């Protein structure tokens, strides 16, 4: 478990890499969370403002191809930047799939490492976040985005 400024986070990892980050109150898909020293170190640096990119190996096994495409595109959104659900839908070649993109973001198994907090609604509103609106606002402000 990692005590972060946005609450306790728990990790699930496989031999391939980090496969899930759970916020406080979320049910773990396994009985026992994994210790992940590299994830803990990099998140500590991120919250201290000294890390802008993560190098933790990630495991997206079990994610559908569409959702994986959305998450890969989302991973390209830089620190301090934002995108919209509509922009992501266009980037994955399906401009009408805005709701499906929203669903892919909502079920992102690796929040923070794949930065779904950087996705805003087209009207500039925050939109949802599995960790809650307060956490999303905190993360955006940490990255210098005024919301």
């Amino acid at each position: 478990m990692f005590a972060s400024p946005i609450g306790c986070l728990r990790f699930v990892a496989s031999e391939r890499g980090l496969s899930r980050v759970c916020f406080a109150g979320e049910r773990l898909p396994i009985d026992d969370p994994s210790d992940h020293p590299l994830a803990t170190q990099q998140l500590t640096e991120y919250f201290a403002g000294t890390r802008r990119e993560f190098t933790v190996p990630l495991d997206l096994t079990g994610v559908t191809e569409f959702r994986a495409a959305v998450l890969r595109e989302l991973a390209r959104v830089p620190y301090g930047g934002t995108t919209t659900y509509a922009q992501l839908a266009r980037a994955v070649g399906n401009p009408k799939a805005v709701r499906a993109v929203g669903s892919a973001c909502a079920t992102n198994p690796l929040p923070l490492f794949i930065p779904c907090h950087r996705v805003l609604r087209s009207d500039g509103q925050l939109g949802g976040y599995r960790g809650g609106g307060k956490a999303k606002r905190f993360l955006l402000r940490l990255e210098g985005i005024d919301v």
Side-chain angles (χ1 to χ4, degrees):
M1 185 167 10
F2 174 70
S4 82
I6 60 170
C8 289
L9 303 172
R10 295 171 298 162
F11 306 123
V12 177
S14 70
E15 291 179 7
R16 296 176 66 185
L18 191 64
S19 59
R20 182 117 172 117
V21 174
C22 294
F23 291 100
E26 282 188 299
R27 189 171 164 264
L28 278 169
I30 60 171
D31 291 334
D32 191 30
S34 306
D35 286 330
H36 204 289
L38 183 58
T40 298
Q41 174 194 346
Q42 290 191 9
L43 283 174
T44 299
E45 294 166 355
Y46 170 77
F47 285 115
T50 60
R51 175 172 290 277
R52 293 179 170 223
E53 294 181 14
F54 296 106
T55 59
V56 173
L58 305 177
D59 180 2
L60 289 174
T61 301
V63 175
T64 68
E65 185 51 43
F66 175 79
R67 288 183 182 205
V70 171
L71 297 177
R72 282 191 301 271
E73 193 62 37
L74 185 52
R76 294 185 181 128
V77 179
Y79 181 99
T82 60
T83 190
T84 66
Y85 299 104
Q87 288 170 323
L88 282 174
R90 284 191 299 276
V92 297
N94 196 341
K96 294 184 179 183
V98 176
R99 286 182 184 247
V101 165
S103 178
C105 291
T107 58
N108 173 5
L110 295 159
L112 298 167
F113 295 97
I114 298 177
C116 51
H117 63 276
R118 296 178 187 155
V119 182
L120 304 175
R121 292 178 15 174
S122 294
D123 64 4
Q125 298 287 322
L126 279 184
Y129 186 62
R130 206 169 79 226
K134 186 177 177 181
K136 184 171 185 169
R137 194 171 278 107
F138 176 90
L139 295 169
L140 291 170
R141 286 182 177 150
L142 176 70
E143 296 184 12
I145 300 165
D146 187 29
V147 288

